[in-house]
Amino acid sequence: MLESNLYGGGTLHREKRMNHSILFRTVFFLSVFILALVVEVGINSFQKARVMEPLDKEMHNIQAISGFLHATEDAASLFENHRWDYGNPATLMADIRHDLATMDEEIAIIEKDVRTLSREQYLLSNAVDTTYKYVKNAADSLFSYLLNGNVQDATELYYGKLAPALEYLGLYSRELLEQAILDSRESFSDIMALNDTVNIIENIAFFLCSVSAVIVMLTLTRILKMMLAMERASEAVSRSEFGIQDLDENGNDELSRLASSFNVMKRSLKERVGLLEEKQAMESMLHKKETETLELQNLLEREKMQQLRSQINPHFLFNTLNVIKHMAGKENAKETERLISALGKLFHYALSSNELLVPLSREIMIVNEFHLLCQVRFGDKIGIEWDLSPQIDLTETLVPSFILQPMVENAVRHGLGPKEEAGKIRISAYIEQALLCITITDDGVGMDTERLGQIKNRLYDQNAAGDHIGLSNVACRLRMQGAGCGLEIDSQKGKGTKVRLTLPLKTIEEEEEQEDDQDTDSR
């Protein structure tokens, strides 16, 4: 019974979330819109085939019969008014041939299909067709007599055969016209009833199509508004402005849950940053009382890096990123999913790695992930070019962790960011006098001599804070690597900045041998 309740409750919860799902609502109403649109198009085609075309066909048939009857009466009138003893045969033949040509055109249009006509109209149309053929043959014989000057035979042919045939043809044509009009009235009533039904269905389809389109547009508008609000809030949080207004959490759909998660993350970051600032203040006071020995500096640096990482709760951050990444994949937002994956890798490297030395290849990977994130904001404005000496084994060479990314971030933020045109960062690595040298060069806005002097002075200030704390941190860590190691910076206003890192050339194999020697000495 308990297991049944649990499974039943889970099903109920899934159904409830499905009802509040933006994706479900959007797909549902978009499907209704498409279905209604298809029905609308189908109804138009049906109306054209079953209403408009039959009406047009009947009207053309009636017009053809009417035109045929008019031509028949005109031909009969011409024969009747002709003076056979002194009239002009050429004029008579020309006028009659004109009427016969008209009758040929009209009789070709007159409907004769038994499947579409009533029995009376079918019989009359056949009678008209047969009589017309007889009239046409008689007229041809009469014209032959006239052309040969045989007026007597032509007169006898007209009064004996052609005149009665024309009278019958006119009679049949009038009866056919009357029957066609009578039949069209009956079919018109049926067609109009069908047309009324089709119009009702068409109006329903149009209403569903309009309502679905409005709902889909409102849903997309809400999504876009939430994305813009989250973008502005994210930029504010990146500037440590945690006092911004919370995102709207009203509702029970994906957007509301995403806004709630973002608000919780913002408040958590605010608390962590405040705690970090208090801890940093305490460290600054204690640091003045401690010795400047290399061993103590190493311990303090390790503690400082660990505390920098502790400002963000990794478990909460990864859960939130996974939720966002899952939603991006569910909504087929491949670019967003790729960017969130890059951000996850960057934070994972910053928060989970406690190693002081890492392979140079790992630092290169993190810089590439950071560059991918920069492209979201700057697009193709910022490029990165690598120039790595083939003498360096990237997977075996060890460097201090997070030694390159802060330098690239400074180049983006202070060098290329303020620059209006596109720029490039060139990262070179080479071996010089048994040392590993890495240069980070940008063609950004650069600095004047005064500003450059201020930054160089701060490189030796272990308590430095502000925009260039990353430079001070890296410089301090490089100095602890030994003699000849450190950070040098050079810049020119409007031409760019160059940073040179010098550190020992260490490999994984040498580090392992050194650790083995230390273990042997301790025994």
Side-chain angles (χ1 to χ4, degrees), residues 407-442:
M407 301 296 98
V408 176
E409 183 177 354
N410 270 347
V412 172
R413 184 176 180 184
H414 302 289
L416 300 180
K419 184 179 179 181
E420 294 182 358
E421 307 85 35
K424 183 184 294 183
I425 299 174
R426 180 182 177 86
I427 304 174
S428 303
Y430 53 94
I431 299 174
E432 182 177 301
Q433 298 179 359
L435 293 175
L436 176 62
C437 298
I438 302 175
T439 61
I440 300 95
T441 307
D442 67 76

Side-chain angles (χ1 to χ4, degrees), residues 114-327:
V114 68
R115 294 172 297 177
T116 59
L117 299 177
S118 64
R119 183 174 181 273
E120 292 79 3
Q121 192 176 167
Y122 174 72
L123 293 175
L124 287 170
S125 64
N126 284 335
V128 168
D129 188 57
T130 302
T131 305
Y132 174 65
K133 291 178 180 177
Y134 180 82
V135 167
K136 193 174 181 181
N137 291 331
D140 289 340
S141 299
L142 187 147
F143 293 157
S144 177
Y145 289 146
L146 291 176
L147 290 174
N148 294 325
N150 194 347
V151 178
Q152 182 65 31
D153 291 340
T155 303
E156 292 177 358
L157 178 61
Y158 168 70
Y159 287 107
K161 295 182 178 180
L162 186 56
L166 284 172
E167 184 177 355
Y168 279 114
L169 183 60
L171 177 62
Y172 293 150
S173 299
R174 278 189 293 273
E175 291 180 356
L176 178 61
L177 180 61
E178 293 173 356
Q179 187 64 43
I181 293 174
L182 181 62
D183 292 343
S184 68
R185 288 177 181 174
E186 296 176 357
S187 62
F188 181 79
S189 299
D190 296 336
I191 291 174
M192 286 299 101
L194 177 62
N195 187 57
D196 292 340
T197 304
V198 169
N199 286 335
I200 293 173
I201 299 174
E202 185 176 16
N203 291 334
I204 294 174
F206 178 76
F207 174 77
L208 291 176
C209 187
S210 301
V211 171
S212 302
V214 170
I215 293 176
V216 171
M217 288 299 298
L218 291 176
T219 302
L220 293 178
T221 301
R222 182 166 177 260
I223 292 174
L224 291 176
K225 286 183 178 179
M226 179 60 74
M227 291 177 62
L228 293 175
M230 187 167 290
E231 179 186 9
R232 290 192 293 267
S234 300
E235 292 178 354
V237 170
S238 67
R239 298 190 299 268
S240 299
E241 298 175 3
F242 299 104
I244 59 173
Q245 185 179 1
D246 287 349
L247 297 178
D248 184 13
E249 302 177 11
N250 295 328
N252 191 24
D253 51 26
E254 296 93 337
L255 288 179
S256 301
R257 291 191 288 273
L258 178 61
S260 178
S261 299
F262 184 87
N263 292 335
V264 172
M265 182 182 69
K266 182 192 68 175
R267 289 189 287 269
S268 177
L269 284 172
K270 182 179 180 180
E271 294 174 1
R272 300 292 179 179
V273 169
L275 181 61
L276 178 62
E277 290 175 350
E278 293 177 2
K279 290 184 178 181
Q280 285 179 337
M282 294 176 61
E283 287 178 5
S284 179
M285 295 177 61
L286 292 174
H287 187 70
K288 295 179 181 179
K289 301 177 182 180
E290 294 175 353
T291 62
E292 298 294 333
T293 61
L294 180 61
E295 181 180 358
L296 187 56
Q297 287 183 359
N298 283 326
L299 293 175
L300 289 175
E301 189 63 22
R302 183 191 295 267
E303 182 66 16
K304 184 177 180 181
M305 291 180 61
Q306 190 63 33
Q307 288 170 354
L308 283 171
R309 296 185 183 115
S310 71
Q311 65 180 315
I312 301 175
N313 186 330
H315 179 73
F316 170 77
L317 177 62
F318 291 140
N319 282 348
T320 304
L321 286 177
N322 284 333
V323 169
I324 300 174
K325 181 179 178 182
H326 174 71
M327 288 179 61

Side-chain angles (χ1 to χ4, degrees), residues 385-405:
E385 180 180 338
W386 295 92
D387 182 15
L388 306 174
S389 173
Q391 299 177 351
I392 301 174
D393 190 338
L394 303 180
T395 58
E396 293 293 322
T397 303
L398 295 176
V399 296
S401 63
F402 254 87
I403 203 75
L404 289 182
Q405 190 272 339

